[in-house]
Amino acid sequence: MTNAPEPDNSADDKPTSPFIEAFRTISHVTTAVALMLICGGIGYAIDHWLEITFFALLGFGGGAVLGIQHLIRMTSDR
């Protein structure tokens, strides 16, 4: 039996596939859009329930802020 060293398979040695990077970016953008739509949908439901037209705009605006913050956090750690 020989004591041959095992190959080091760490993630730092291999470059990440462009397809994996593309799918990672798409997932971050999809999450940001989902945040905007969910917050806007909640605002729309509140507007429909209270019969006013304020919370939908507030929800979409707040969702846009949350979505942009999500994108900044996910892309700044690279």
Side-chain angles (χ1 to χ4, degrees):
M1 295 183 94
T2 62
N3 291 333
E6 295 181 18
D8 186 20
N9 292 332
S10 66
D12 297 334
D13 293 342
K14 298 178 187 176
T16 306
S17 168
F19 289 113
I20 292 173
E21 286 296 322
F23 285 124
R24 184 175 296 144
T25 303
I26 289 171
S27 72
H28 292 315
V29 171
T30 304
T31 302
V33 170
L35 282 169
M36 292 179 210
L37 292 177
I38 289 170
C39 291
I42 291 170
Y44 176 77
I46 292 171
D47 281 348
H48 192 309
W49 182 51
L50 296 177
E51 298 178 358
I52 56 175
T53 57
F54 172 71
F55 289 103
L57 294 174
L58 187 66
F60 281 116
V65 169
L66 290 174
I68 291 170
Q69 281 181 347
H70 170 75
L71 289 176
I72 291 171
R73 284 186 193 151
M74 294 297 117
T75 57
S76 66
D77 63 325
R78 291 186 187 180

